[in-house]
Amino acid sequence: MKEAWKVWKWSPPRILVSGFALIILLGAFLLSLPFASATGVRLPFIDALFTATSATCVTGLVVVDSGTYFSVAGQIILMCLIQLGGLGFMTMATLIALVLRKKISLRERLILQEAMNQTSMEGIVRLIRRVIVYSLSIELIGAALFSARFAFDMPLGKAMFFGAFHSISAFNNAGFDIFGDFRSLTLYTSDPIVNLTAILLVVFGGLGFVVMSDLLEFRKKRKLSLHSKVVLTMTGSLIAVGTLVFFIFEFTNHLTLGSLDWGGKLFSSLFQAVMPRTAGYNSIDLTVLRQATQFLIILLMFIGASPGSTGGGIKTTTFAVLIGAVFSMIRGREDIILFRHRLGKDRIFKALTITMLCLGLVIVVTMLLSMLEDHSFLVILFEATSAFATVGLSLGLTPELSEAGKIIIILTMFAGRLGPLTLAYALGPRAEKELYRHPEGKITIG
């Protein structure tokens, strides 16, 4: 028993899983208290748990309207959960340790390495310092821009609070809004300041902290790492392709882009191409999109953001490896080459494992929800993918979920935020080194 506890104590994946679970439970308890409600009526615990999970896992799916149901205190709790979930509780714990001038132990560095999805502990504390500085600086700038714009529509104090809330929510790719009536950013469909600020916050949050560090040091080093090159290329490509396809699909739809001028069409297309990258905001009503466009959003959500970021999904680098594998096989090459670098087989196996685990999770959740909820298949697939990829976009299913459906989505958001691979490491037995290799066999493929 003592040895089992020792293994749990020293396993970074298990510490991450238990840490996130404790934050969610604490958040659910606080949100279920009367002071968190605008009316003073307790939120049912299952709904409080759903909301706390969505905030901590920076998803954005909501069963009650955040703008009208929660009091200012409740909205502040949501904001804190989003910040904790986006940056990670270990990052915040490291910040406290650095402020108190405490030494970061080897065990804590191992946990940070797992939390930041890094392959080495080298420079991990330095990276965490940069993460904190970059994140708070970007959120502060975003809050100032949002506040300046919202001040034209509401009192200054309220505008500043709205600006801070939506800046933190956007940078952490959470997608929570407090405008009321589940409106998200539909009030600002053609507003360039709100649209561009939200887009930039989401993109910076979704790039990953390693890439942001590389970009800020580019003037000094004059080079980018392979990781940063792949992330930037895939991010730009997905945004460009997503914008173009969304524009083409919805151009004649009078319920979405059809009624907007050219500026509104372009802004809305760009906005909706960026937000499925795990952000969760929408500037137009998603329920009136054509089915082809809704399926496009599902694909973008499944790919998601980049490693070490505030977003979810299988990640842009995983998708890049899969594309590289396809092209290498078509061209008859043995190795996957990206930017004149050969990828190791361990990277390829990990990409395939993550993709299959995530695809399996979405399939299972979709099948379960199809049995429990009386909605069309596409609506349910959309919801399942949104929960897994911690996006927060919905076609209206979330507020109508049954109790069992809520529990399934809660578990899906939790798995999506931590990653199925991390959960597998955390819940499975400790890996042991193989002492022998089996003989090689051949099977027919394709």
Side-chain angles (χ1 to χ4, degrees):
M1 185 71 180
K2 191 174 181 180
E3 287 187 6
W5 167 249
K6 193 174 181 182
V7 170
W8 175 271
K9 183 178 178 182
W10 283 95
S11 171
R14 288 177 175 174
I15 292 173
L16 285 176
V17 170
S18 58
F20 267 97
L22 286 173
I23 292 171
I24 289 169
L25 289 174
L26 177 60
F29 171 72
L30 293 174
L31 290 175
S32 66
L33 296 177
F35 78 91
S37 168
T39 60
V41 178
R42 281 179 174 269
L43 181 66
F45 186 76
I46 184 66
D47 292 338
L49 181 63
F50 189 102
T51 306
T53 305
S54 184
T56 307
C57 297
V58 290
T59 305
L61 292 174
V62 289
V63 288
V64 294
D65 183 47
S66 305
T68 56
Y69 189 91
F70 293 109
S71 62
V72 173
Q75 291 168 354
I76 291 173
I77 293 171
L78 279 178
M79 191 161 51
C80 292
L81 290 174
I82 291 168
Q83 189 72 285
L84 270 173
L87 298 185
F89 72 94
M90 278 306 300
T91 301
M92 304 305 291
T94 304
L95 171 62
I96 295 171
L98 292 173
V99 170
L100 297 176
R101 298 182 180 278
K102 289 183 66 177
K103 188 176 180 180
I104 310 299
S105 67
L106 176 62
R107 176 183 164 214
E108 289 164 345
R109 291 170 191 264
L110 284 168
I111 301 170
L112 287 169
Q113 178 188 340
E114 180 72 24
M116 298 304 295
N117 201 17
Q118 296 299 295
T119 56
S120 169
M121 283 191 300
E122 184 180 355
I124 192 67
V125 177
R126 186 168 62 251
L127 174 62
I128 295 300
R129 286 197 187 99
R130 290 173 180 169
V131 166
I132 294 165
V133 172
Y134 298 162
S135 301
L136 296 180
S137 299
I138 292 171
E139 286 174 351
L140 186 62
I141 294 170
L145 291 171
F146 274 143
S147 300
R149 174 61 187 87
F150 295 155
F152 287 96
D153 303 326
M154 59 187 74
L156 182 59
K158 185 177 180 181
M160 292 178 68
F161 178 70
F162 270 53
F165 185 97
H166 292 94
S167 178
I168 290 172
S169 181
F171 177 75
N172 288 289
N173 282 211
F176 275 84
D177 77 278
I178 50 176
F179 287 104
D181 298 325
F182 301 100
R183 286 181 291 189
S184 191
L185 298 181
T186 54
L187 295 173
Y188 299 94
T189 300
S190 302
D191 191 292
I193 296 176
V194 173
N195 277 265
L196 288 175
T197 302
I199 287 169
L200 290 174
L201 285 169
V202 169
V203 169
F204 281 129
L207 284 177
F209 301 113
V210 174
V211 177
M212 283 197 289
S213 179
D214 261 9
L215 288 174
L216 290 172
E217 293 185 354
F218 181 73
R219 291 181 64 183
K220 186 194 301 183
K221 294 183 177 179
R222 290 293 173 184
K223 65 176 182 179
L224 293 173
S225 66
L226 174 63
H227 172 81
S228 296
K229 289 178 181 178
V230 173
V231 166
L232 291 171
T233 302
M234 289 305 304
T235 299
S237 301
L238 287 169
I239 291 174
V241 172
T243 302
L244 178 62
V245 176
F246 190 95
F247 183 84
I248 293 172
F249 283 179
E250 294 297 317
F251 184 82
T252 57
N253 186 351
H254 70 280
L255 296 175
T256 55
L257 299 186
S259 60
L260 303 176
D261 57 22
W262 276 94
K265 284 182 171 66
L266 292 173
F267 265 127
S268 295
S269 299
L270 176 62
F271 192 90
Q272 294 307 150
V274 171
M275 294 306 147
R277 309 288 314 290
T278 82
Y281 283 125
N282 58 284
S283 59
I284 57 179
D285 185 0
L286 301 182
T287 61
V288 295
L289 293 174
R290 292 191 169 110
Q291 287 191 348
T293 313
Q294 292 172 347
F295 190 69
L296 167 70
I297 293 175
I298 290 173
L299 296 177
L300 292 174
M301 289 193 295
F302 187 75
I303 296 169
S306 302
S309 71
T310 58
I314 63 170
K315 304 295 190 293
T316 52
T317 49
T318 303
F319 187 59
V321 171
L322 295 178
I323 293 176
V326 171
F327 276 97
S328 294
M329 180 61 69
I330 291 173
R331 294 177 180 179
R333 291 180 177 176
E334 187 174 337
D335 298 319
I336 297 177
I337 309 297
L338 297 177
F339 293 97
R340 298 182 180 179
H341 285 77
R342 174 176 55 84
L343 296 185
K345 289 187 177 180
D346 62 320
R347 301 293 91 189
I348 301 167
F349 285 144
K350 187 172 184 179
L352 289 171
T353 303
I354 289 172
T355 304
M356 291 307 297
L357 285 174
C358 295
L359 184 60
L361 176 63
V362 171
I363 290 172
V364 170
V365 171
T366 303
M367 291 174 69
L368 291 174
L369 290 178
S370 295
M371 291 190 298
L372 296 168
E373 311 298 333
D374 185 21
H375 282 269
S376 68
F377 175 77
L378 190 62
V379 170
I380 291 173
L381 177 62
F382 195 102
E383 190 86 5
T385 309
S386 180
F388 148 71
T390 67
V391 178
L393 294 175
S394 177
L395 297 180
L397 174 59
T398 312
E400 301 176 11
L401 286 170
S402 62
E403 298 290 304
K406 289 175 185 177
I407 293 172
I408 290 171
I409 293 296
I410 286 171
L411 294 174
T412 306
M413 291 189 291
F414 188 72
R417 178 64 183 96
L418 289 165
L421 201 56
T422 299
L423 278 178
Y425 288 151
L427 301 176
R430 186 168 57 173
E432 296 181 1
K433 187 175 180 180
E434 292 183 352
L435 301 178
Y436 60 90
R437 296 182 71 188
H438 292 281
E440 183 179 345
K442 293 184 179 181
I443 60 173
T444 303
I445 303 292

